[in-house]
């Protein structure tokens, strides 16, 4: 469906055949293609500019290696730089026990589904996970989480009568302790857009439960808008990780590159489908190849 970045680079790079050394001049066309391709993969323009400058810095002055074409050499530099950027700062999950994870994000991003998916994954890793429904606005979201928790045999807590989110958090912690759970995931409410009241509510919950991880669930197809969303959540809640959803779709992953570069928040997991098993640890090299095509 997409012409890949590598293909797009093809023409620009052909002109480089035979050059002995990469210079700003002989690379200009290739870098223009890189810029256009990243913009069309929905990478934020500021990130594109920085990225292209960095690739140029790395390329200029390099002797073209024997046995490879200048094009291959540039593609490798671009790939290495993407992997480095995407993977920078990536750490394992907090080792705290009980492990408390706060899940935040916009409505429809895949937050509830990802909460159950992460619970399932933690169970596979030997935890006794417990999920808490903290969305007081959408009873359907509570039902959805309950169904998924039953299906995956995860502990579950909800208080459908309460409108006091921090109190729900405290009660959920007590219920999890009672159930001898050692990983507690809090699914919170989302809105269609960043909303001051919503952020304040999640901040209060955060203060109350003192999570070890705060994960933003973001739709991988969100495009450049993803950066504003991630910045707002990060400023208010000091995110510790990003879960990128719907990467089974057409999204090229530009959003991920933008969020990672601008906020510095590491990408931790990737959602690749609607089923609870469609969830994986994040691998920078896979996303780099996807962005490059
Ligand atoms: P929430 O409002 O953020 O809690 O979003 P939901 O968890 O209810 O998910 C919204 C929709 O996205 C549902 O139809 C999910 O099945 C779907 N969804 C969530 N994650 C993924 C994913 O990784 N891939 C695909 N294809 N769909 C997903």
């Amino acid at each position: 469906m997409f012409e890949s970045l590598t293909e797009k680079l093809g023409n620009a790079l052909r002109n480089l055949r035979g050059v002995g050394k990469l210079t700003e001049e002989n690379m200009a066309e290739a870098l223009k293609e890189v810029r256009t391709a990243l913009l069309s993969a929905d990478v934020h323009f500021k990130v594109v500019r920085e990225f292209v400058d960095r690739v140029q810095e790395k390329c200029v002055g390099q002797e073209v290696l024997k046995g490879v074409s200048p094009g291959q050499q540039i593609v490798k530099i671009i790939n290495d730089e993407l992997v480095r950027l995407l993977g920078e700062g990536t750490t394992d999950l907090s080792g705290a026990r009980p492990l408390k994870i706060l899940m935040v994000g916009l409505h429809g991003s895949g937050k509830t589904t990802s909460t159950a998916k992460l619970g399932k994954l933690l169970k596979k890793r030997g935890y006794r996970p417990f999920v808490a429904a903290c969305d007081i606005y959408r009873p359907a979201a509570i039902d959805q989480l309950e169904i998924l928790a039953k299906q995956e045999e995860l502990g579950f807590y909800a208080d459908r009568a309460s409108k006091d989110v921090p109190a729900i958090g405290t009660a959920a912690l007590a219920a999890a302790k009672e159930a001898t759970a050692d990983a507690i995931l809090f699914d919170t409410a989302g809105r269609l857009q960043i909303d001051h009241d919503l952020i304040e509510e999640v901040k209060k919950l955060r203060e109350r439960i003192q999570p070890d991880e705060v994960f933003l669930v973001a739709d991988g197809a969100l495009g450049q808008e993803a950066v504003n969303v991630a910045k707002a959540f990060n400023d208010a809640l000091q995110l510790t990780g990003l879960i990128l959803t719907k990467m089974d779709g057409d999204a090229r992953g530009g959003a991920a590159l933008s969020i990672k570069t601008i906020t510095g928040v590491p990408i931790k997991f990737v959602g690749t489908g609607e089923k609870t098993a469609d969830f994986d640890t994040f691998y920078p090299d896979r996303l780099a190849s996807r962005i490059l095509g």
Side-chain angles (χ1 to χ4, degrees):
M1 178 183 230
F2 292 98
E3 194 189 354
S4 72
L5 176 53
T6 315
E7 276 162 15
K8 278 190 184 163
L9 280 171
N11 277 332
L13 295 175
R14 246 188 292 283
N15 299 337
L16 285 175
R17 212 166 271 165
V19 307
K21 197 176 196 155
L22 298 171
T23 65
E24 215 166 295
E25 291 70 39
N26 64 27
M27 282 185 51
E29 204 186 329
L31 289 179
K32 206 167 125 218
E33 287 297 332
V34 175
R35 189 173 293 122
T36 313
L38 289 175
L39 285 170
S40 69
D42 245 338
V43 180
H44 193 274
F45 69 94
K46 277 192 193 152
V47 175
V48 173
R49 200 167 48 206
E50 269 174 42
F51 183 79
V52 171
D53 285 353
R54 216 176 133 84
V55 168
Q56 176 167 317
E57 210 177 278
K58 292 210 140 178
C59 290
V60 167
Q62 283 210 12
E63 303 286 339
V64 174
L65 300 169
K66 289 221 159 54
V68 296
S69 68
Q72 286 167 323
Q73 197 166 333
I74 294 176
V75 168
K76 173 153 184 353
I77 291 170
I78 295 172
N79 183 67
D80 290 351
E81 187 57 16
L82 270 177
V83 173
R84 190 191 67 77
L85 263 178
L86 290 167
E88 206 173 40
T90 297
T91 47
D92 278 342
L93 270 182
S94 155
R97 296 256 177 156
L99 171 63
K100 293 174 282 181
I101 304 178
L102 182 61
M103 306 283 284
V104 302
L106 295 185
H107 174 62
S109 59
K111 197 166 9 69
T112 302
T113 315
S114 300
T115 303
K117 286 175 170 181
L118 183 53
K120 181 186 174 85
L121 184 134
L122 290 176
K123 197 172 169 186
K124 264 210 275 188
R125 291 193 187 172
Y127 285 87
R128 290 169 62 88
F130 193 96
V131 296
C134 301
D135 184 346
I136 54 171
Y137 309 100
R138 290 176 53 245
I142 303 181
D143 297 342
Q144 186 191 348
L145 189 62
E146 185 169 24
I147 292 167
L148 292 171
K150 272 207 182 106
Q151 180 191 309
E152 299 306 330
E153 299 179 345
L154 310 171
F156 172 77
Y157 179 84
D159 179 353
R160 289 177 167 81
S162 174
K163 294 286 175 221
D164 183 343
V165 174
I168 296 174
T170 306
L173 282 176
K177 194 172 177 193
E178 179 79 23
T180 64
D182 58 5
I184 308 133
L185 294 90
F186 298 84
D187 184 25
T188 60
R191 305 270 159 83
L192 287 173
Q193 288 170 333
I194 284 285
D195 173 306
H196 177 74
D197 292 346
L198 169 80
I199 294 273
E200 284 308 307
E201 182 185 284
V202 185
K203 262 169 103 167
K204 285 191 189 130
L205 177 63
R206 183 191 203 288
E207 274 161 35
R208 184 69 70 88
I209 61 170
Q210 300 283 320
D212 306 292
E213 300 278 10
V214 183
F215 288 162
L216 174 70
V217 180
D219 185 334
L222 203 54
Q224 302 215 12
E225 175 57 16
V227 169
N228 298 332
V229 172
K231 262 185 80 131
F233 275 103
N234 191 36
D235 290 347
L237 296 160
Q238 294 85 47
L239 303 173
T240 63
L242 182 75
I243 296 179
L244 202 61
T245 61
K246 311 191 188 182
M247 290 305 283
D248 47 315
D250 292 334
R252 285 291 286 279
L257 179 62
S258 305
I259 295 177
K260 174 69 206 335
T261 313
I262 290 185
T263 64
V265 175
I267 308 163
K268 298 267 190 179
F269 298 99
V270 178
T272 54
E274 299 203 34
K275 296 201 197 74
T276 43
D278 302 331
F279 196 68
D280 210 344
T281 303
F282 171 67
Y283 296 104
D285 50 338
R286 286 191 200 161
L287 187 58
S289 332
R290 178 165 179 151
I291 293 174
L292 269 173

